[in-house]
Amino acid sequence: MVEEESIRVVRCGGSELNFRRAVFSADSKYIFCVSGDFVKVYSTATEECVHILHGHRNLVTGIQLNPNNHLQLYSCSLDGTIKLWDYIDGILIKTFIVRCKLHALFTVAQAEDSVFVTVNKEKPDIFQLVSVKLPKSSSQEVEAKELSIVLDYINQSPKCIAFGNEGVYVAAVRDFYLSVYFFKKKTTSRRNFYDEKKYTYTCLHWHHDIVMDLAFSVTGSSLLSGGRESVLVEWRDATEKNKEFLPRLGATIEHISVSPAGDLFCTSHSDNKITIIHRNLEASAVIQGLVKDRSIFTGLMIDPRTKALVLNGKPGHLQFYSLQSDKQLYNLDIMQQEYINDYGLIQIELKKAAFGCFGNWLATVEQRQEKETELELQMKLWMYSKKTQGFILNTKIHMPHEDCITALCFCNAEKSEQPTLVTASKDGYFKVWILTDDSDIYKKAVGWTCDFVGSYHKYQATNCCFSEDGSLLAVSFEEIVTLWDSETWELKCTFCQRAGNIRHLCFGRLTCSKYLLGATENGILSCWNLLSCALEWSAKLNVRVMEPDPNSENIAAVSQSSVGSDLFVFKPSEPRPLYIQKGISREEVQWGVFVPRDVPESFTSEAYQWLNRSQFYFLTKSQSLLTFSTKSPEEKLTPTSKQLLAEESLPTTPFYFILGKHRQQQDEKLNEISENELVQLPLTENIPAISELLHTPAHVLPSAVFLCSMFVNSLLLSKETKSAEEIPKDVDMEEEKESENSDEENDFTEKIQETNNTDLGEDIIHQLSKSEEKELRKFRKIDYSWIAVL
Amino acid sequence: MAGYKPVAIQTYPILGEKITQDTLYWNNYKTPVQIKEFGAVSKVDFSPQPPYNYAVTASSRIHIYGRYSQEPIKTFSRFKDTAYCATFRQDGRLLVAGSEDGGVQLFDISGRAPLRQFEGHTKAVHTVDFTADKYHVVSGADDYTVKLWDIPNSKEILTFKEHSDYVRCGCASKLNPDLFITGSYDHTVKMFDARTNKSVLSVEHGQPVESVLLFPSGGLLVSAGGRYVKVWDMLKGGQLLVSLKNHHKTVTCLCLSSSGQRLLSGSLDRKVKVYSTTSYKVVHSFDYAASILSLALAHEDETIVVGMTNGILSVKHRKSEAKKESLPRRRRPAYRTFIKGKNYMKQRDDILINRPTKKHLELYDRDLKHFRISKALDRVLEPTCAIKTPEITVSIIKELNRRGVLANALAGRDEKEISRVLNFLIRNLSQPRFAPVLINAAEIIIDIYLPVIGQSPVVDKKFLLLQGLVEKEIDYQRELLETLGMMDMLFATMRGKEGTPVLENTSDGFPENKKIES
């Protein structure tokens, strides 16, 4: 590829699907949702992403169907534009530039050429509902200048604004106030619910926790409500008795929307998920993005088998997320417990996870700490089963340590004959677990047992790390790094820098395997030489993330300063870093990981060479997943979206992807074949003139000179009837005169022609007149009918 | 959507012996019947034919016992001196025995006086057996000789003088009428062939051989002597297959289970070990009160009879297959309901919809699913559950605590219900595996019921009991800590300047906040 494009930090998927209410298309075939800077179009039947509408330069904050044309979609964004899309083809139709941050979008059928948006003008907290007149113009980009304020002092959330029946009025709430604006009368009425006045109301009680969203069904006969309990409640006839539930939706329901046709509901959940629900309260489809509901404890990992990104997912689950397709592959249920979503409840958290032995083993640690003294700790070891293609629980260890486990690492050396796992804990010990044969005469079994317990002056063990060849184990105890021989578990040596607790620890790889790196909390990065047992160098760097590249010697360190985060890529053996990028993110970077590339890139520039074999992904505090790329996100996404555009947009199921493509290829092949036939058949035999030539005895044939002119004439004639393609084929007819094709069907037709031609043979000898040409033309017609049958 | 996930019941490893098929099988015997004999029981032999009587040789008598009789149904007592090795013939009608004076006597089971007397040995005959053709008897004696006798004319056919010490054990092949094996105190086991009048095979056991056993197929030979049990492959010319050393003292007797899958050995160390004959690993072990001299298994392993040096005969019968009285069956739908539509062939456009499988949930899970927390707690506090499977109760309490509703579930209970909870706490609070969960529960109970304390003498008593228990436990923990400290000091002095020893701290520091004012 052409390079010298600068490397930039780009977001790579994992954006929120649950930021705003999802919108159904009029026929309920599609569902639209905002996703970062894009709008995504999903098929409701197959959960497949059909289109990604990209064009906005900032967060998309609202989407609505065009009430006047239900094949079009309005979207508004923080970049100050309203865009109109044709979602069937995924085409941007128009852009209206408003030039102020838009926070929500509403459309009303009665207001033909205007839409309503929420803006904040002066103060950050004051929001206004304004109507924007959309000018009619043929150009792609139009400036929309006509803004008129409808309501002032409203809530930012689009849920707090509702348009009344037929667009007669609009109501908005903020704090205790309800404001209603009547479009006809152009008046605003305000009401304060804080006072003790009596109002007529019905109270429906079932939810014991906060209710996040409400929606009426299309007919208005039932009301849907959902909240933190993650139960969708349908209140029939607005009575407390008649209610139906759809429980265990997984996470807090944030939005509920109803399809205009009334046959589908959908709920957006706080775990970045959209559930599509049938009218009879049966979940029919789940659209799941990268789960970002909760804090990430496990960090980013790469599953060696699927190359998927692995991190905390749903509560008690580990999610496997495909970086290529921005899609969750599957969830591994670690906790295997009923999840109760309740405010203030201390849940069991999945704290640590690690892959070992080329993805054959997975270790997970879950923890629940209610008070200082009450700690529940469980370590689970999962074995990959080839049969089921998934992880199966092998060993469960209750309370592996007396205190929280701070680090977990497998020995990933290639030659190691026995899988080994090391856990370091705050209780001052590190434990070595090995896989042992647990089989007896009744069954074959393997299980993990503790092999060695080590400690160093009762300091808290904070980190552990195996060297690349598995011969050394480094365990950091607060400020001290200890090195242990993994054969005998003898303490080999200690390093101490007296610069705060060790935060990260890692060995160099490949040619740099003699180096051990440690980053301390006081902002010192040290590199020790294991051969001389001395400090090689140290640098002042407040390292937050330190990740070794599995494919090279490079190590990436992300440092945190008051301005933002900076990235340093270096080799432990070289004094100067390979690459420095300042300000990769304004927020704190929490986790990072190198993902090996399937196809190595070839950056020639020295500064980018560290990206050749692996890609660096990192996760910031606000849980946005970022990476380095020279390509723009549009470029990254285009191949798939283009392909989608080309295809029939209707039900695109995975099967369709397989079969449809296949069929297309087949069609193409067929076309090719038929084309080839078209090329060949008329050339060789199917033109009666040739067959005549070939099958008339040589002694009765006229001279070649004479025949030639006849052929040329016939070609001229054919121009009227034949398609343009065939002309050049007929030109080289003469060369192929001699070629014989023994296709049976052709033979058959030849015979017919022969019989027809027998009486003509003499004519040819005598005169090749117009009558003969007519005859020839006749046969040609016969011929074509025959080809057409083919 | 995912269905309800049942509460994970914390399972604890069962301490002690692992439960395997073998332990289940070999433990499935009734308590032993003890029969007192006159002297050490040197041999027990089961009749191979029904009703599977067994002959017990002890002192100068041979008793024949029926299967379930505790009194001998027949006694042969015409021995001048100690009798040895009373053995049944294959048809169960004749019995042969050796004696201390060197005679071999043949009895009819129905008669009393010996049918034949084989005289020829000069010293005590410790082993006799019938050959496979039923018409000969093999005997081995302390005069180092092995003799083959003809029953019809009570004559000695052959004499083998190849052993150089006492011949104490032997057995005849069950397939070949001419082959038999003897083991001697000269550490060898020899196989003799009556057709060649000399030994055809000899293996060196290494210890005085106390017992030999041929597998029914004749391919494997087992010899016991000293602390060793050795298995020899006869088809490979007497190659040692495996040597087992699982006893602490001399192994005195061997026996095969009826299926041939297990080998039993009895020893002077008062243990019977069961080996698997495929892997030769010990799969089970029995303990007896005295040193074991003889051991026999009945047909189908129905009875284990063990004779000991103190003259006690221990008889264990297999428990009869528990035939559970099946409850009167509910009227089920007719057979045709089940086969309805079974042979329906799927058409092309049909969509097959399977009936959703209903997941079985325990009753407490069903309650928890519907958030009936108090009811769930009641259910697991019922005596059947709370006593038999306290781990389920504790798991439910833990689950309620995880859901943050333990206090709600414990509150609002009357005297009877609260005393049930307290009973459970008193029983299980001091168990280390339950302690963290139950201490928390106890604290919650005290918090809830503190205002109403003193109203019910029953509950007050329970609280006092609990207090005493906690105080005792605290004292106990303190003592443990002291001991641990002492041990640490000892280790430290022993190790010198080496690194601190790795020692697990077992105390979990009971919170000392159980002050109950009553």
Side-chain angles (χ1 to χ4, degrees):
Chain A
M1 76 175 265
V2 190
E3 89 145 82
E4 305 344 311
E5 280 182 75
S6 64
I7 297 187
R8 318 182 273 150
V9 178
V10 289
R11 284 177 73 89
C12 57
S15 38
E16 281 186 348
L17 299 175
N18 58 340
F19 180 59
R20 289 286 186 252
R21 270 185 195 149
V23 174
F24 280 98
S25 69
D27 53 3
S28 327
K29 272 189 181 157
Y30 300 106
I31 186 164
F32 313 104
C33 59
V34 301
S35 165
D37 298 356
F38 311 127
V39 178
K40 287 191 177 172
V41 184
Y42 289 95
S43 158
T44 53
T46 65
E47 326 169 2
E48 202 70 36
C49 180
V50 185
H51 289 299
I52 298 171
L53 310 178
H54 40 75
H56 282 294
R57 307 220 163 269
N58 205 338
L59 202 65
V60 180
T61 50
I63 43 172
Q64 288 293 334
L65 281 182
N66 185 354
N68 302 318
N69 180 355
H70 61 76
L71 296 178
Q72 292 176 344
L73 183 78
Y74 281 115
S75 68
C76 77
S77 156
L78 287 183
D79 64 1
T81 56
I82 298 170
K83 287 183 195 273
L84 184 63
W85 307 86
D86 177 353
Y87 63 80
I88 301 275
D89 300 325
I91 299 167
L92 176 64
I93 300 172
K94 255 183 197 177
T95 305
F96 304 99
I97 299 163
V98 187
R99 295 198 193 287
C100 57
K101 282 191 178 180
L102 310 177
H103 290 277
L105 177 76
F106 306 92
T107 55
V108 182
Q110 279 67 31
E112 288 96 9
D113 51 353
S114 56
V115 294
F116 300 89
V117 290
T118 322
V119 296
N120 66 330
K121 279 275 166 69
E122 298 90 21
K123 287 179 205 164
D125 201 29
I126 306 293
F127 291 90
Q128 297 164 331
L129 182 72
V130 296
S131 93
V132 180
K133 182 131 175 115
L134 301 177
K136 289 217 165 107
S137 155
S138 57
S139 65
Q140 276 277 326
E141 293 203 4
V142 193
E143 197 103 357
K145 284 174 189 160
E146 276 185 61
L147 305 184
S148 54
I149 291 180
V150 178
L151 280 172
D152 207 351
Y153 192 68
I154 57 166
N155 202 317
Q156 181 190 3
S157 164
K159 279 185 204 167
C160 300
I161 298 163
F163 283 81
N165 186 24
E166 316 266 294
V168 176
Y169 55 87
V170 56
V173 288
R174 173 145 191 180
D175 306 337
F176 283 100
Y177 295 101
L178 171 77
S179 336
V180 182
Y181 177 82
F182 294 90
F183 289 107
K184 289 270 167 57
K185 293 186 257 174
K186 296 198 189 298
T187 53
T188 308
S189 74
R190 287 203 129 196
R191 210 167 243 194
N192 189 355
F193 282 93
Y194 194 57
D195 50 18
E196 293 289 311
K197 273 189 207 158
K198 291 266 185 247
Y199 297 99
T200 316
Y201 62 87
T202 319
C203 180
L204 300 174
H205 175 69
W206 179 84
H207 292 279
H208 75 272
D209 215 325
I210 182 167
V211 178
M212 301 288 277
D213 203 5
L214 296 170
F216 273 105
S217 68
V218 172
T219 51
S221 60
S222 61
L223 175 69
L224 298 161
S225 67
R228 192 176 272 137
E229 301 97 344
S230 26
V231 180
L232 183 72
V233 187
E234 183 185 10
W235 309 85
R236 302 241 161 102
D237 318 320
T239 50
E240 233 178 273
K241 270 187 221 155
N242 266 341
K243 56 183 183 286
E244 300 276 327
F245 304 102
L246 179 62
R248 279 183 280 284
L249 287 170
T252 306
I253 296 173
E254 296 204 323
H255 310 284
I256 301 170
S257 45
V258 179
S259 76
D263 56 343
L264 292 177
F265 309 136
C266 90
T267 51
S268 306
H269 298 267
S270 59
D271 62 350
N272 209 4
K273 174 175 77 176
I274 296 175
T275 311
I276 297 165
I277 298 160
H278 262 292
R279 183 73 193 80
N280 55 1
L281 289 188
E282 265 176 28
S284 71
V286 176
I287 298 163
Q288 174 83 63
L290 182 66
V291 178
K292 306 202 299 185
D293 190 16
R294 338 171 74 238
S295 42
I296 306 292
F297 298 110
T298 60
L300 304 179
M301 286 172 293
I302 295 297
D303 177 17
R305 277 176 196 278
T306 56
K307 299 277 178 293
L309 188 71
V310 181
L311 63 160
N312 277 127
K314 291 196 289 184
H317 289 67
L318 210 56
Q319 64 175 326
F320 289 66
Y321 176 81
S322 163
L323 287 164
Q324 277 75 35
S325 53
D326 184 18
K327 203 167 129 187
Q328 200 182 57
L329 297 178
Y330 66 96
N331 267 313
L332 180 65
D333 189 355
I334 301 288
M335 230 78 93
Q336 298 175 332
Q337 269 185 355
E338 182 78 355
Y339 175 65
I340 307 287
N341 194 5
D342 220 344
Y343 180 71
L345 211 58
I346 299 155
Q347 307 281 4
I348 306 180
E349 298 286 357
L350 184 61
K351 283 284 183 185
K352 298 274 175 229
F355 283 97
C357 311
F358 316 103
N360 282 333
W361 287 97
L362 168 68
T364 57
V365 174
E366 55 212 67
Q367 177 192 323
R368 179 175 184 272
Q369 187 154 30
E370 198 159 346
K371 290 173 217 158
E372 271 301 295
T373 51
E374 289 170 24
L375 176 76
E376 285 174 38
L377 207 58
Q378 217 166 42
M379 184 159 82
K380 284 177 180 169
L381 288 134
W382 306 76
M383 186 167 66
Y384 186 81
S385 148
K386 285 201 178 100
K387 208 165 158 192
T388 56
Q389 295 285 305
F391 284 99
I392 290 177
L393 185 62
N394 177 272
T395 308
K396 192 153 78 171
I397 299 161
H398 190 65
M399 293 302 283
H401 281 276
E402 301 283 313
D403 209 335
C404 305
I405 289 182
T406 52
L408 188 69
C409 79
F410 272 100
C411 175
N412 279 333
E414 273 169 38
K415 62 166 181 63
S416 67
E417 67 284 344
Q418 197 171 32
T420 311
L421 171 74
V422 173
T423 53
S425 162
K426 274 190 189 167
D427 63 359
Y429 295 103
F430 74 91
K431 290 191 183 180
V432 180
W433 308 83
I434 53 165
L435 186 67
T436 49
D437 191 17
D438 198 22
S439 50
D440 48 20
I441 64 164
Y442 309 103
K443 62 177 193 316
K444 279 213 176 336
V446 286
W448 290 79
T449 44
C450 187
D451 186 42
F452 178 73
V453 183
S455 68
Y456 190 79
H457 294 296
K458 303 271 174 193
Y459 288 130
Q460 291 187 354
T462 50
N463 271 298
C464 59
C465 179
F466 267 107
S467 69
E468 194 188 7
D469 59 352
S471 63
L472 280 178
L473 169 71
V475 183
S476 66
F477 290 95
E478 295 178 15
E479 292 186 327
I480 299 152
V481 181
T482 55
L483 281 176
W484 304 74
D485 186 346
S486 69
E487 292 287 321
T488 56
W489 302 119
E490 267 173 29
L491 181 62
K492 285 283 173 194
C493 72
T494 57
F495 297 117
C496 181
Q497 195 58 24
R498 291 288 166 209
N501 290 353
I502 304 279
R503 194 187 271 155
H504 296 287
L505 196 63
C506 79
F507 277 96
R509 302 180 62 84
L510 305 173
T511 58
C512 300
S513 55
K514 62 179 174 185
Y515 296 105
L516 173 69
L517 288 139
T520 66
E521 275 175 4
N522 291 3
I524 303 285
L525 177 65
S526 322
C527 175
W528 292 281
N529 190 330
L530 296 175
L531 299 178
S532 61
C533 290
L535 185 71
E536 190 86 2
W537 51 264
S538 72
K540 191 146 177 63
L541 199 64
N542 186 14
V543 176
R544 288 280 152 181
V545 174
M546 188 160 75
E547 273 294 319
D549 182 355
N551 288 337
S552 66
E553 298 98 338
N554 299 335
I555 288 173
V558 180
S559 77
Q560 168 76 20
S561 63
S562 54
V563 189
S565 300
D566 310 323
L567 174 82
F568 299 86
V569 182
F570 59 92
K571 275 186 193 176
S573 57
E574 285 173 24
R576 295 193 63 78
L578 294 172
Y579 180 76
I580 300 174
Q581 171 130 10
K582 296 262 180 195
I584 53 169
S585 153
R586 279 185 300 277
E587 328 161 86
E588 187 186 328
V589 174
Q590 281 192 318
W591 304 100
V593 73
F594 272 105
V595 183
R597 284 186 201 270
D598 294 335
V599 187
E601 300 255 353
S602 51
F603 294 109
T604 46
S605 152
E606 204 152 291
Y608 304 153
Q609 265 178 7
W610 64 283
L611 281 172
N612 276 355
R613 317 226 352 232
S614 334
Q615 205 169 0
F616 187 64
Y617 285 84
F618 59 96
L619 195 74
T620 60
K621 201 169 186 182
S622 66
Q623 299 191 4
S624 45
L625 189 65
L626 306 171
T627 187
F628 288 94
S629 171
T630 51
K631 289 185 251 178
S632 65
E634 286 85 7
E635 270 178 79
K636 267 172 69 191
L637 289 164
T638 36
T640 50
S641 51
K642 275 213 176 118
Q643 164 213 329
L644 284 164
L645 274 175
E647 282 175 25
E648 277 297 314
S649 53
L650 279 177
T652 42
T653 62
F655 288 111
Y656 177 78
F657 276 118
I658 301 163
L659 294 177
K661 254 185 213 161
H662 188 61
R663 203 170 291 158
Q664 265 190 353
Q665 281 173 358
Q666 272 185 344
D667 286 351
E668 276 166 22
K669 264 188 202 160
L670 269 179
N671 287 339
E672 274 175 33
I673 290 163
S674 53
E675 272 173 29
N676 288 341
E677 279 170 353
L678 274 176
V679 171
Q680 281 170 3
L681 292 177
L683 270 180
T684 49
E685 275 122 328
N686 296 311
I687 292 174
I690 304 168
S691 57
E692 272 166 29
L693 270 175
L694 291 174
H695 293 278
T696 356
H699 64 276
V700 291
L701 269 180
S703 71
V705 182
F706 193 67
L707 278 175
C708 180
S709 65
M710 190 197 91
F711 268 121
V712 172
N713 280 339
S714 73
L715 287 175
L716 289 173
L717 269 170
S718 71
K719 204 173 186 180
E720 297 155 14
T721 49
K722 275 185 179 176
S723 64
E725 298 170 4
E726 282 168 310
I727 296 164
K729 297 157 204 159
D730 285 4
V731 171
D732 48 20
M733 202 187 301
E734 275 176 306
E735 295 166 16
E736 292 184 35
K737 263 182 214 169
E738 271 76 41
S739 75
E740 195 123 22
N741 195 326
S742 62
D743 202 347
E744 278 181 335
E745 283 181 274
N746 293 347
D747 283 346
F748 178 66
T749 48
E750 279 159 26
K751 273 171 200 160
I752 300 165
Q753 283 154 19
E754 261 184 281
T755 50
N756 289 336
N757 286 348
T758 40
D759 51 342
L760 272 169
E762 287 163 21
D763 292 336
I764 296 172
I765 305 161
H766 298 299
Q767 49 165 351
L768 288 150
S769 60
K770 281 181 183 171
S771 65
E772 209 213 82
E773 281 177 359
K774 270 181 199 166
E775 285 292 330
L776 280 172
R777 223 182 297 166
K778 203 174 95 189
F779 291 127
R780 197 159 287 154
K781 270 175 195 163
I782 295 164
D783 240 295
Y784 285 132
S785 66
W786 176 78
I787 288 168
V789 172
L790 254 183
Chain B
M1 290 288 100
Y4 175 81
K5 289 177 200 158
V7 178
I9 303 298
Q10 179 76 47
T11 51
Y12 296 93
I14 298 146
L15 296 175
E17 222 175 331
K18 247 191 209 168
I19 292 178
T20 60
Q21 292 156 334
D22 273 292
T23 52
L24 291 176
Y25 185 84
W26 295 109
N27 281 332
N28 191 22
Y29 286 93
K30 294 177 191 163
T31 44
V33 177
Q34 310 255 351
I35 302 169
K36 178 73 186 156
E37 292 286 337
F38 295 104
V41 181
S42 62
K43 173 80 177 178
V44 179
D45 189 44
F46 270 91
S47 161
Q49 296 299 324
Y52 308 113
N53 293 334
Y54 55 95
V56 175
T57 317
S59 186
S60 62
R61 278 159 218 247
I62 297 167
H63 289 298
I64 309 238
Y65 290 90
R67 215 152 140 218
Y68 297 106
S69 69
Q70 295 187 25
E71 293 294 314
I73 53 174
K74 197 158 181 69
T75 306
F76 300 100
S77 55
R78 305 229 173 137
F79 290 96
K80 294 186 195 79
D81 211 332
T82 317
Y84 292 111
C85 196
T87 310
F88 280 101
R89 200 165 76 168
Q90 288 88 320
D91 58 2
R93 292 168 61 186
L94 292 183
L95 184 81
V96 68
S99 75
E100 184 68 40
D101 59 2
V104 177
Q105 300 191 352
L106 185 74
F107 299 92
D108 187 355
I109 290 300
S110 46
R112 191 164 285 273
L115 276 182
R116 298 276 189 278
Q117 294 208 356
F118 306 108
E119 302 289 345
H121 283 296
T122 54
K123 282 187 178 165
V125 178
H126 273 272
T127 171
V128 282
D129 200 3
F130 289 95
T131 59
D133 62 3
K134 305 195 235 173
Y135 305 122
H136 300 93
V137 168
V138 183
S139 65
D142 286 358
D143 57 3
Y144 312 165
T145 60
V146 177
K147 286 180 194 285
L148 184 69
W149 310 86
D150 187 32
I151 298 173
N153 44 25
S154 69
K155 273 191 179 162
E156 178 190 322
I157 301 172
L158 279 171
T159 306
F160 301 94
K161 294 182 177 165
E162 293 189 21
H163 283 297
S164 54
D165 207 334
Y166 300 158
V167 180
R168 280 292 165 91
C169 57
C171 72
S173 162
K174 291 209 169 50
L175 297 173
N176 192 327
D178 295 318
L179 286 180
F180 51 90
I181 286 161
T182 52
S184 154
Y185 275 14
D186 63 359
H187 301 190
T188 58
V189 177
K190 288 184 192 287
M191 176 181 263
F192 296 100
D193 191 336
R195 294 163 295 195
T196 61
N197 71 32
K198 65 175 200 274
S199 72
V200 289
L201 202 89
S202 175
V203 294
E204 187 69 27
H205 180 80
Q207 265 83 25
V209 183
E210 296 284 351
S211 178
V212 289
L213 184 79
L214 254 183
F215 269 63
S217 66
L220 293 178
L221 168 72
V222 189
S223 62
R227 291 166 60 194
Y228 292 91
V229 174
K230 293 189 177 177
V231 184
W232 311 85
D233 192 343
M234 300 309 277
L235 302 177
K236 274 192 178 172
Q239 196 185 26
L240 180 65
L241 197 67
V242 66
S243 171
L244 308 168
K245 189 186 171 190
N246 294 90
H247 285 287
H248 301 301
K249 287 185 182 171
T250 305
V251 184
T252 52
C253 48
L254 293 170
C255 169
L256 265 183
S257 79
S258 57
S259 62
Q261 300 287 312
R262 300 286 180 264
L263 173 73
L264 285 81
S265 68
S267 155
L268 295 179
D269 66 359
R270 301 186 280 186
K271 278 186 172 27
V272 171
K273 303 250 178 193
V274 184
Y275 306 88
S276 154
T277 54
T278 46
S279 64
Y280 292 104
K281 296 240 167 73
V282 176
V283 292
H284 192 68
S285 158
F286 300 102
D287 283 337
Y288 283 92
S291 300
I292 295 160
L293 285 181
S294 55
L295 164 74
L297 273 180
H299 177 75
E300 297 287 320
D301 303 345
E302 288 293 327
T303 316
I304 302 176
V305 183
V306 167
M308 288 171 273
T309 46
N310 59 357
I312 299 264
L313 187 71
S314 158
V315 183
K316 283 205 278 192
H317 293 289
R318 175 169 289 281
K319 282 178 191 160
S320 56
E321 290 302 308
K323 272 174 195 154
K324 275 179 190 162
E325 283 296 308
S326 54
L327 294 164
R329 275 173 59 181
R330 267 186 307 169
R331 206 182 130 70
R332 295 257 179 84
Y335 176 63
R336 62 171 184 276
T337 356
F338 292 112
I339 60 161
K340 202 195 282 177
K342 273 278 152 65
N343 50 4
Y344 176 75
M345 293 302 288
K346 190 172 163 274
Q347 301 293 309
R348 209 167 65 90
D349 296 331
D350 286 354
I351 299 167
L352 202 65
I353 296 172
N354 287 320
R355 192 181 290 250
T357 48
K358 217 171 178 183
K359 210 157 94 185
H360 172 73
L361 287 181
E362 297 290 336
L363 288 172
Y364 52 81
D365 267 331
R366 256 180 251 179
D367 288 330
L368 281 179
K369 185 182 172 188
H370 292 106
F371 293 88
R372 295 189 293 252
I373 45 171
S374 294
K375 207 165 170 194
L377 188 61
D378 285 346
R379 218 180 276 277
V380 292
L381 282 172
E382 270 168 21
T384 48
C385 180
I387 293 167
K388 252 191 196 167
T389 52
E391 65 269 14
I392 290 181
T393 314
V394 173
S395 292
I396 297 296
I397 293 175
K398 198 171 155 189
E399 170 72 14
L400 291 174
N401 187 35
R402 191 175 71 85
R403 291 183 176 202
V405 290
L406 183 57
N408 304 17
L410 287 170
R413 284 169 183 270
D414 60 17
E415 182 185 87
K416 198 176 144 200
E417 285 169 336
I418 193 66
S419 59
R420 190 180 268 180
V421 182
L422 288 172
N423 278 339
F424 181 77
L425 288 181
I426 289 163
R427 206 177 304 120
N428 293 300
L429 191 69
S430 55
Q431 295 201 32
R433 54 189 188 172
F434 298 145
V437 179
L438 293 185
I439 287 171
N440 184 28
E443 281 173 6
I444 292 173
I445 290 177
I446 291 163
D447 287 346
I448 295 171
Y449 294 99
L450 194 61
V452 292
I453 218 139
Q455 290 179 4
S456 152
V458 181
V459 176
D460 289 356
K461 218 170 118 192
K462 293 266 154 64
F463 271 120
L464 283 173
L465 214 61
L466 194 65
Q467 187 190 15
L469 190 77
V470 170
E471 276 164 9
K472 215 170 89 189
E473 189 65 30
I474 289 168
D475 286 347
Y476 183 56
Q477 291 284 338
R478 193 171 289 135
E479 264 174 51
L480 274 180
L481 275 175
E482 279 168 13
T483 319
L484 208 62
M486 284 189 260
M487 281 165 71
D488 267 346
M489 205 141 69
L490 285 173
F491 276 122
T493 50
M494 274 167 65
R495 290 257 179 121
K497 277 168 191 169
E498 274 179 48
T500 46
V502 173
L503 203 66
E504 287 301 303
N505 193 348
T506 50
S507 77
D508 43 7
F510 273 75
E512 303 185 20
N513 50 0
K514 299 286 177 312
K515 292 284 166 278
I516 306 157
E517 276 78 35
S518 48

